[in-house]
Amino acid sequence: MMFLDINMQTTMDIRKMILPLFIVAANAMELSAEVILPSVFSDGMVLQRGQPVILWGKASPGEKIRVSLNGKKGNGEALSDSTWTVELPSMEAGGPYVLKVNDTEVRDVLMGDLYLFSGQSNMELPVSRTLDLFKEEVASYSNPSIREFKVPKEYSFTKGSDDVSVSEWKKAEPGTSERFGALVYFTAKELYEKNGHVPVGIVNSSWGGTRIEAWLNEDALAQYPVRLHRLRIAEDEAYRGYLGKGERKARELWYSTMDSEDPGYSGDLSWSDPSYDDSGWTTVPLMGNVWGSVEGRAVNGSHWLRKTVEVPSSAIGEEAELRLGCIVDADDVWVNGHHVGSTAYQYPPRIYKIPAGVLRDGENLVCVRVISNAGVPHFVPEKPHKIIFRDGGEVSLEGYWRHKEGTPMPQTPSVTDFFQIPTVLYNAMIYPLSRLPFRGVVWYQGESDVDIRKEYCGMLRSLIGAWRAAFRDPELPFYIVELADFLHESDTYGRMSWQEMRDAQRRAADESDNAWWVMNGDIGEWNDIHPRDKKTPALRVAARILEHPHK
């Protein structure tokens, strides 16, 4: 009995000692429970000066929220749905500061001017695509007070998405600036220089090839019932799953058939091999539609083109750059049998590095396998087609090539782009940002909507109204960049259509309060829907912003 009594007493004493420790640990866990901040609230962020600072996020229901920034403090409490909001008073431009939310720190925060840039590919186009014109300027400029947050591409059929996926704030510095949106970069530079060196932050929420209806919210679709009903069909998850699976399988079969049946791959010697004898191939000019069509009918599938050139002795063994302009549609490229690059669609310029040791004495073979998905395959004229050497010399690749058809194919099976469905980009890439105060919105979109140019003015006005409502800012300025010049002067109908689209963009600005049109139709490249000169329209955007700032 004595033995039992001693153990029972010991157990009770131990419990008395451990219980308070559990209570302390539980309280500590409660105090240090994780606070979740939106992705945009991350190191290097820029907040809008001169307006109340709205902070929000998630935490355990009932958790106390303590916020501090630049000497200003605020408190809040997580609601039953785990959301919390804390407001701090407005602040002047400055920083860097540390934002503290409970035990979470966001470092290197600036107060400055924050803008939302949105649209399609000409808004998304990176600085790296403009370096032919601005390489030295970009390489020599560094400014940590200019920052961009690129919203990841995603779409959602769910209204009221909480957040965008994780991204990061980038600073305008060599090595990083090349990843900025080009219009973003040059606009921010001009605003910084012309507006008293106030820090500039730009949230770039854009996606190439998108239509305006994907950026509208569902309320705005009420006046566009056809688009609303298109949404109703596509929002069925099972339907999307079946359709997507079938379409992906069809494309997989198309490519696997083309590759497996291509004699350029299936023979004893690849057609990209310099020792392959192409003397029986047809000689064709690189430019034009001679090799990509028969009696006016497009020949889709794979095509092989080969050309031999001699390089100067100074270039032998050295690194070089191969340029093939733009190609419709996709390509793989070899130099002397060495694969130097590939591109999956028609718009990017083909700029491929030839590694050191590939170029050799005598003849050098350039081999291109072109894949045509639909339409007539071709090389885009009036683009650079050459090899550029380190000393500045070059060898032209224009003129005649050897050509042989690989695998003739039907057109590539289509794939439904669900990111084009009405509302889905608004839900995923705009609404989650709607509590941020912005100084203005720059909109550059419309290339994908020339076919609905008669409706575009009304739809753009609907977008302006919907976004202002979402951002709770009826005076939010919109700066609308018109479409750049495009298409050959002989394409009368096409050029007329694009001009009608520009007119619709201008009317939308004229018919909306606090909206301004930015001229851009006098700039462009007839053979490239993505003109490289983004600096000129950027300077005009900055001028509009400075002329017509937020009231």
Side-chain angles (χ1 to χ4, degrees):
M1 287 294 295
M2 182 65 71
F3 180 81
L4 291 174
D5 286 344
I6 290 174
N7 278 274
M8 288 175 65
Q9 183 64 47
T10 302
T11 301
M12 291 173 65
D13 290 342
I14 291 173
R15 286 176 178 174
K16 287 179 180 178
M17 290 187 294
I18 291 176
L19 183 59
L21 294 176
F22 274 113
I23 295 172
V24 170
N27 288 338
M29 289 175 65
E30 182 68 23
L31 288 173
S32 62
E34 184 180 11
V35 172
I36 300 174
L37 294 171
S39 176
V40 72
F41 285 97
S42 52
D43 290 351
M45 79 172 302
V46 179
L47 289 167
Q48 180 57 47
R49 61 172 174 149
Q51 295 191 38
V53 178
I54 310 296
L55 303 166
W56 71 93
K58 287 189 173 183
S60 300
E63 183 172 355
K64 305 299 182 184
I65 307 298
R66 304 172 306 281
V67 175
S68 65
L69 175 66
N70 185 27
K72 307 293 192 300
K73 296 183 178 181
N75 297 286
E77 182 176 319
L79 302 177
S80 60
D81 64 355
S82 298
T83 63
W84 58 266
T85 303
V86 174
E87 181 177 317
L88 298 180
S90 64
M91 306 176 200
E92 296 302 314
Y97 306 119
V98 176
L99 168 65
K100 293 185 178 180
V101 182
N102 287 13
D103 294 332
T104 300
E105 290 189 349
V106 179
R107 299 182 177 276
D108 193 22
V109 177
L110 298 181
M111 300 300 302
D113 286 334
L114 186 63
Y115 298 90
L116 175 61
F117 279 47
S118 188
Q120 59 180 109
S121 52
N122 272 304
M123 182 64 86
E124 189 180 9
L125 188 88
V127 168
S128 60
R129 292 269 292 271
T130 71
L131 294 181
D132 279 354
L133 300 179
F134 307 112
K135 185 175 183 178
E136 293 183 5
E137 178 179 347
V138 173
S140 64
Y141 186 80
S142 181
N143 189 341
S145 292
I146 292 175
R147 303 176 180 188
E148 180 196 46
F149 181 90
K150 180 66 171 70
V151 176
K153 295 178 181 179
E154 51 197 347
Y155 61 87
S156 174
F157 286 85
T158 303
K159 291 184 289 185
S161 298
D162 292 328
D163 197 6
V164 300
S165 292
V166 175
S167 186
E168 62 178 354
W169 287 89
K170 302 187 298 289
K171 298 178 183 179
E173 300 170 335
T176 301
S177 295
E178 291 83 353
R179 293 185 284 126
F180 270 58
L183 193 77
V184 167
Y185 177 80
F186 291 112
T187 302
K189 282 184 63 179
E190 183 72 359
L191 288 173
Y192 181 84
E193 297 298 333
K194 296 293 177 64
N195 198 32
H197 290 184
V198 172
V200 179
I202 295 179
V203 176
N204 185 353
S205 185
S206 54
W207 191 331
T210 53
R211 299 176 74 97
I212 190 172
E213 60 194 45
W215 298 98
L216 291 173
N217 66 10
E218 190 165 333
D219 290 341
L221 288 181
Q223 55 188 310
Y224 306 105
V226 172
R227 291 175 173 85
L228 181 61
H229 298 150
R230 182 175 177 227
L231 169 63
R232 290 290 172 261
I233 295 171
E235 66 187 358
D236 185 281
E237 188 173 355
Y239 159 74
R240 296 200 307 274
Y242 294 139
L243 183 62
K245 183 178 181 180
E247 291 179 339
R248 286 192 298 273
K249 185 61 177 178
R251 287 181 71 89
E252 176 188 321
L253 290 170
W254 191 92
Y255 281 99
S256 63
T257 299
M258 177 182 66
D259 290 344
S260 65
E261 298 294 324
D262 194 328
Y265 281 148
S266 59
D268 294 334
L269 197 62
S270 171
W271 289 357
S272 64
D273 193 301
S275 61
Y276 177 82
D277 181 9
D278 63 12
S279 60
W281 289 21
T282 304
T283 301
V284 298
L286 184 67
M287 295 298 129
N289 300 332
V290 173
W291 56 270
S293 62
V294 175
E295 297 179 352
R297 178 183 58 82
V299 180
N300 301 130
S302 63
H303 295 259
W304 294 78
L305 296 104
R306 290 166 48 113
K307 185 179 182 69
T308 56
V309 295
E310 293 194 7
V311 301
S313 58
S314 60
I316 296 170
E318 295 291 319
E319 184 180 90
E321 184 177 86
L322 174 67
R323 294 202 171 204
L324 289 171
C326 299
I327 303 173
V328 180
D329 292 294
D331 62 274
D332 277 283
V333 180
W334 296 262
V335 176
N336 292 332
H338 183 93
H339 189 261
V340 297
S342 61
T343 303
Y345 64 109
Q346 63 178 299
Y347 294 116
R350 274 53 170 185
I351 303 176
Y352 299 136
K353 293 295 182 184
I354 303 175
V358 172
L359 294 178
R360 61 197 187 191
D361 191 19
E363 291 187 338
N364 289 264
L365 173 72
V366 179
C367 177
V368 183
R369 183 189 190 229
V370 175
I371 297 173
S372 173
N373 301 117
V376 177
H378 63 277
F379 288 75
V380 175
E382 296 185 25
K383 291 284 186 179
H385 302 92
K386 56 190 176 182
I387 299 176
I388 304 173
F389 308 114
R390 295 184 66 178
D391 62 4
E394 57 186 51
V395 169
S396 174
L397 296 176
E398 299 277 1
Y400 287 89
W401 289 56
R402 297 279 196 175
H403 167 263
K404 188 172 180 63
E405 186 179 329
T407 314
M409 295 289 292
Q411 289 190 3
T412 311
S414 62
V415 171
T416 302
D417 293 323
F418 289 114
F419 67 86
Q420 299 284 30
I421 301 297
T423 79
V424 297
L425 299 186
Y426 171 86
N427 292 339
M429 298 177 66
I430 298 298
Y431 181 83
L433 308 167
S434 62
R435 301 183 74 175
L436 281 175
F438 287 103
R439 192 168 176 85
V441 175
V442 179
W443 177 255
Y444 189 173
Q445 186 275 341
E447 297 91 340
S448 293
D449 284 326
V450 173
D451 62 323
I452 61 160
R453 56 193 178 278
K454 303 298 183 182
E455 298 178 86
Y456 191 83
C457 175
M459 296 187 76
L460 182 50
R461 292 184 64 194
S462 295
L463 180 143
I464 292 170
W467 287 21
R468 284 174 174 168
F471 285 98
R472 302 171 186 82
D473 187 351
E475 303 296 328
L476 182 64
F478 271 73
Y479 308 95
I480 301 165
V481 183
E482 74 167 347
L483 298 189
D485 187 38
F486 181 53
L487 300 175
H488 195 273
E489 60 183 11
S490 63
D491 188 352
T492 306
Y493 179 78
R495 292 185 63 82
M496 179 188 69
S497 300
W498 275 62
Q499 185 55 51
E500 290 175 353
M501 184 61 169
R502 295 187 193 99
D503 294 340
Q505 293 175 307
R506 186 188 301 209
R507 287 199 310 274
D510 291 344
E511 296 172 9
S512 303
D513 293 334
N514 291 339
W516 292 274
W517 162 81
V518 180
M519 184 172 69
N520 191 38
D522 60 331
I523 305 165
E525 301 174 31
W526 75 265
N527 58 356
D528 200 331
I529 201 169
H530 304 119
R532 293 167 297 165
D533 182 8
K534 291 294 184 286
K535 184 174 181 179
T536 301
L539 298 181
R540 293 173 179 177
V541 169
R544 282 293 198 192
I545 289 173
L546 296 175
E547 291 168 4
H548 305 285
H550 200 308
K551 294 181 180 178

